[in-house]
Amino acid sequence: MSLGFFVSGILGGVTEPTLYGLCFSHKRTFATLMAGAFAGGIYGGITHVAMYLLGSTNILTVMGFIAGGTSNMVNGCIACGLSLIVSAVLTYLFGFSGQELETAG
């Protein structure tokens, strides 16, 4: 199910399946998503990333970074990637209890 949530978020910008289907039923996953968003936001704030286009939150978000120049686009992509990687790693490490994994399999 998580793969479907990922695809709908990356390609379509529809993140409600992730929020309602995964995060509200597994509270630790919500905390790991917040930690990832915090890490990406801190990096973006430190490097002064700016968005020049208001759009959906999908893969086309990169277009909003382009108007600020190459460094803005690179740092924006790094911030997005950092938040994705931190969330994924933390979810892998802390997102589910052993009992939840046993009942899912």
Side-chain angles (χ1 to χ4, degrees), residues 17-101:
T18 304
L19 184 63
Y20 297 115
L22 186 66
C23 294
F24 285 159
S25 60
H26 304 286
K27 302 296 185 206
R28 285 185 296 259
T29 58
F30 195 70
T32 60
L33 285 176
M34 288 190 300
F38 180 77
I42 288 292
Y43 179 82
I46 290 171
T47 57
H48 303 289
V49 172
M51 285 290 290
Y52 295 93
L53 172 73
L54 183 61
S56 66
T57 56
N58 59 10
I59 195 70
L60 297 176
T61 300
V62 174
M63 302 297 271
F65 298 129
I66 291 175
T70 305
S71 65
N72 189 61
M73 186 182 73
V74 169
N75 285 325
C77 291
I78 290 172
C80 290
L82 182 66
S83 64
L84 176 72
I85 290 169
V86 168
S87 295
V89 169
L90 289 177
T91 301
Y92 179 76
L93 295 175
F94 304 111
F96 300 100
S97 68
Q99 181 182 10
E100 290 171 333
L101 291 174

